[in-house]
Amino acid sequence: MTQPSFCCPDHSGAQDAASILSQAQARAARLGLRLTPVRLRTLEMLIAAHGALGAYDVLEKLAAEGFGTQPPVAYRALNWLVEHGFAHRIRRLNAFTACSHPAHDHAAAFLICTACDSVTEAPAAEVTAALTDAAGQAGFAIDRATIEAVGRCHACTGAAA
Amino acid sequence: MTQPSFCCPDHSGAQDAASILSQAQARAARLGLRLTPVRLRTLEMLIAAHGALGAYDVLEKLAAEGFGTQPPVAYRALNWLVEHGFAHRIRRLNAFTACSHPAHDHAAAFLICTACDSVTEAPAAEVTAALTDAAGQAGFAIDRATIEAVGRCHACTGAAA
DNA sequence: CCTTGACTGTTATGATATAACATTAGATAG
DNA sequence: CTATCTAATGTTATATCATAACAGTCAAGG
Ligand SMILES: [Zn+2]
Ligand SMILES: [Zn+2]
Ligand SMILES: [Zn+2]
Ligand SMILES: [Zn+2]
């Protein structure tokens, strides 16, 4: 349910997975963050996943690899990755996805395809600017924002009529 | 926990509650939608609430008033209200809030104050336009979007240092 | 050594949400 | 005015998501 039997043609996960991972490792080194075995494996799973993974999906895999078997194991790793900018939480799906640009801090929007379950991270600088502006008119000062869109990805728009 | 002991000074809930409710009733009449007793009471609760209400908060009140006592009672009313534009779901809070402009369909952004737990609906036409544009550049066609910001409302920015 | 703090693990529980089915109340056709 | 159909409401039971609280491990520093 979390993952379709195969991926969107244009969801080029595999080809830049190595690149994302090395960016993440570079970031961790630069900031002195400890990317421990559980955290690293969790991040690798998120990177390898075609869509977002639920905490219990991650937990199941971690347990199968000999890590802890209880929910906090997965939640701790996932929350740590999110806090430190290696992953994002997708609230609409109660799930998590690897950050595709861990090299730098950034505002992101997520594009969730209802046909293939892919989740794409889109640059959201302008969206965030518009949101900050709209909030400012109400006298509201933004800390963090969640921007998620549900629809059809490029591949699925073309494919299914 | 869902509701602070008292409200932000500028959260003028009470004064336009009647107006929001009558707009909602007009909408229901216009579209031939049945705003039954459970649905109406649920909507009134959302309108009266200072912040968003969780499904179980609503359920508790409904049960106390003689409606059903089980979760589906609340979830059905809430989901119906959301589907038909009378309320919005706030994913970050796992909660629901009354739509403050039920007269017309609209894209909305939500401003969630971490100090007073208020949730304000802000017009989001421009934010949505920016998001649609960003998605379009990735070939993604948006159905619906969730836009939620966490921060400090006007009253709380002034009040707390 | 031995304390300290970060990390990993566990048990137990809490919080959110839905599936499946029974019952009731309005609408409609004969 | 019934028979029938459907939308709405209710229930039981269960699924799914998330955290609190505490115990053991281990490496760094005094
Ligand atoms: Zn990112
Ligand atoms: Zn797709
Ligand atoms: Zn609204
Ligand atoms: Zn506030």
Side-chain angles (χ1 to χ4, degrees), chain B residues 34 36 38-39 67-73 76:
Chain B
R34 294 181 52 195
T36 61
V38 218
R39 292 169 183 168
F67 293 101
T69 62
Q70 301 306 313
V73 170
R76 275 199 291 245

Side-chain angles (χ1 to χ4, degrees), chain A residues 116-141:
Chain A
C116 68
D117 292 332
S118 67
V119 176
T120 306
E121 183 173 347
E126 291 174 18
V127 183
T128 301
L131 179 55
T132 301
D133 186 61
Q137 288 176 31
F140 189 97

Side-chain angles (χ1 to χ4, degrees), chain B residues 15-150:
Chain B
Q15 68 196 59
D16 46 17
S19 152
I20 293 174
L21 183 59
S22 68
Q23 281 181 56
Q25 285 171 318
R27 176 196 179 85
R30 177 159 37 88
L31 301 180
L33 299 171
R34 294 181 52 195
L35 209 42
T36 61
V38 218
R39 292 169 183 168
L40 178 60
R41 281 301 295 135
T42 301
L43 179 56
E44 288 172 345
M45 284 171 197
L46 295 181
I47 291 173
H50 295 154
L53 292 181
Y56 282 77
D57 295 329
V58 168
L59 177 59
E60 192 177 355
K61 298 182 195 222
L62 288 175
E65 296 185 14
F67 293 101
T69 62
Q70 301 306 313
V73 170
Y75 280 102
R76 275 199 291 245
L78 289 165
N79 287 331
W80 186 92
L81 291 170
V82 170
E83 272 166 25
H84 294 90
F86 298 102
H88 298 285
R89 185 170 200 152
I90 309 298
R91 305 213 85 113
R92 183 150 211 132
L93 302 177
N94 291 326
F96 301 81
T97 190
C99 175
S100 48
H101 306 94
H104 57 297
D105 291 320
H106 55 276
F110 297 91
L111 309 177
I112 305 167
C113 179
T114 50
C116 68
D117 291 332
S118 68
V119 175
T120 306
E121 183 173 346
E126 291 175 18
V127 183
T128 302
L131 179 55
T132 301
D133 186 63
Q137 289 177 30
F140 189 96
I142 295 180
D143 265 1
R144 278 158 290 109
T146 299
I147 300 169
E148 297 173 0
V150 172

Side-chain angles (χ1 to χ4, degrees), chain A residues 5-89:
Chain A
S5 55
F6 76 88
C7 181
C8 278
D10 78 342
H11 181 206
S12 50
Q15 69 195 60
D16 45 19
S19 153
I20 293 174
L21 183 59
S22 67
Q23 282 181 57
Q25 284 171 318
R27 176 196 179 86
R30 179 160 34 89
L31 301 180
L33 300 171
R34 294 181 53 194
L35 208 40
T36 60
V38 219
R39 293 170 182 167
L40 178 60
R41 281 300 296 134
T42 301
L43 178 56
E44 288 172 345
M45 284 172 197
L46 293 181
I47 291 172
H50 295 153
L53 292 180
Y56 282 75
D57 295 330
V58 169
L59 177 59
E60 192 177 356
K61 299 182 194 222
L62 288 174
E65 296 185 14
F67 294 102
T69 62
Q70 301 306 313
V73 169
Y75 280 101
R76 275 198 291 245
L78 290 166
N79 288 331
W80 187 91
L81 291 170
V82 170
E83 271 165 26
H84 295 90
F86 298 103
H88 298 284
R89 185 169 199 151

